[in-house]
Amino acid sequence: MDERQLRILRELGDLGSVSAVAEALHVTPSAISQQLRLLQRSIPVPLTERAGRRVVLTDAGHALAAAAVEVESAMARARHAVTDFAERPGGVVSVAAFHSAASAFFPPLLRGLAGPEHPRPALADEDVAQDRFPALTRDYDLVLAHRLDHAPPWPRTVTSATLLREPLDVALPAGHPLAAKPLLSPRDVADQPWITVHDGFPLMATIEAIAAFADRRPDIAHRINEFTVVAEVVAAGGGLALMPRWTTRAHPGVVLRPLGDVHARRHIDVLHRPERTARKAVRTVLAELHAIAAQIQGRDTSATT
């Protein structure tokens, strides 16, 4: 028994013939008859009977047709409730991000969506290995994820869009001899001790590319994922590090220098399950994230012109 079969039964009671129901529903009479037979299989008493050349409802058929009116009304209310929810401008939208993206995006997101007429972001930090980001879309409406420029795309089970393509610079102590150079090569830095991320996180692949270009094994002194901690360790002379240019806070004891000859750029992407954007509130937050990304990149452009 399904909603379409119940509607056919109701229309048969109202219109009085299979041909009239078929015309009203824009299908063939045989399609109507088939649906009535399928419905009859789930009901222990006859729903229709012959009256001359016509098929009409029995008393049981009339009783079920009357109940079908209530079913259609309930389904219509349910559809309207879902539509109202989907088009509601407010409501909670959950957003997860890895640490440096959270630091850069969360404060302006809260400021940009302040007020009762806007969605209410529910924010969470999720600093996971690259291959675990898609699974987070099960628990959050929107997920800010990172991957390297040349990394494989995200799986088709999630929808993705790039917010930023962010350069990765070499972070050095302010007094380091290499800080005087405007552009560094892999050979300049390959023999230095490195502060890098744990295995499975995108920046590690760039460290390996630097070492391969210079034909040397990387000297990994420390493994730290949190860039604010990395900056402190760099400033204290613990080694060099790769740091994103736009989404980490400046440190007075650290200078950033661009790196040539290797791909040193990461994507900050926003992931979500396709059905999440059926909600207007989620679409609003997604648009705000894109606007924030444009502002972040715009600040860098204005600073260099």
Side-chain angles (χ1 to χ4, degrees), residues 59-279:
D59 290 343
H62 282 292
L64 186 55
V69 176
E70 298 178 15
V71 171
E72 276 203 80
S73 299
M75 293 297 295
R77 288 194 298 271
R79 284 191 288 268
H80 287 311
V82 170
T83 300
D84 290 345
F85 173 75
E87 292 303 315
R88 193 181 305 159
V92 175
V93 176
S94 56
V95 184
F98 60 98
H99 292 153
S100 58
S103 178
F105 281 86
F106 283 179
L109 185 65
L110 290 173
R111 290 192 293 267
L113 297 176
E117 74 280 7
H118 292 299
R120 289 181 287 115
L123 308 176
D125 64 326
E126 290 281 2
D127 202 21
V128 300
Q130 180 176 328
D131 60 357
R132 291 179 56 197
F133 277 111
L136 293 177
T137 60
R138 181 183 302 110
D139 301 317
Y140 300 98
D141 293 312
L142 300 170
V143 175
L144 273 62
H146 51 64
R147 66 182 179 92
L148 290 184
D149 207 7
H150 55 278
W154 301 108
R156 294 182 179 180
T157 53
V158 299
T159 299
S160 66
T162 297
L163 297 173
L164 287 174
R165 293 178 176 87
E166 183 176 28
L168 301 171
D169 294 330
V170 178
L172 313 97
H176 196 284
L178 291 175
K181 299 188 68 171
L183 177 68
L184 300 177
S185 74
R187 291 189 178 90
D188 291 329
V189 298
D191 61 350
Q192 299 285 321
W194 281 93
I195 307 156
T196 188
V197 294
H198 294 273
D199 288 333
F201 289 79
L203 268 62
M204 189 61 213
T206 303
I207 300 292
E208 293 167 349
I210 292 169
F213 189 94
D215 195 23
R216 296 179 184 176
R217 295 186 64 182
D219 176 12
I220 299 174
H222 312 285
R223 288 186 180 269
I224 303 170
N225 275 23
E226 175 51 61
F227 285 122
T228 56
V229 180
V230 171
E232 295 292 345
V233 176
V234 170
L240 308 187
L242 283 178
M243 296 188 70
R245 183 178 299 174
W246 301 326
T247 56
T248 54
R249 295 178 183 176
H251 188 290
V254 174
V255 295
L256 299 181
R257 293 292 179 263
L259 180 66
D261 297 321
V262 297
H263 285 286
R265 193 169 68 165
R266 72 173 180 178
H267 286 209
I268 298 179
D269 295 336
V270 57
L271 313 181
H272 61 83
R273 294 194 170 190
E275 66 271 16
R276 301 282 186 162
T277 50
R279 289 180 59 203

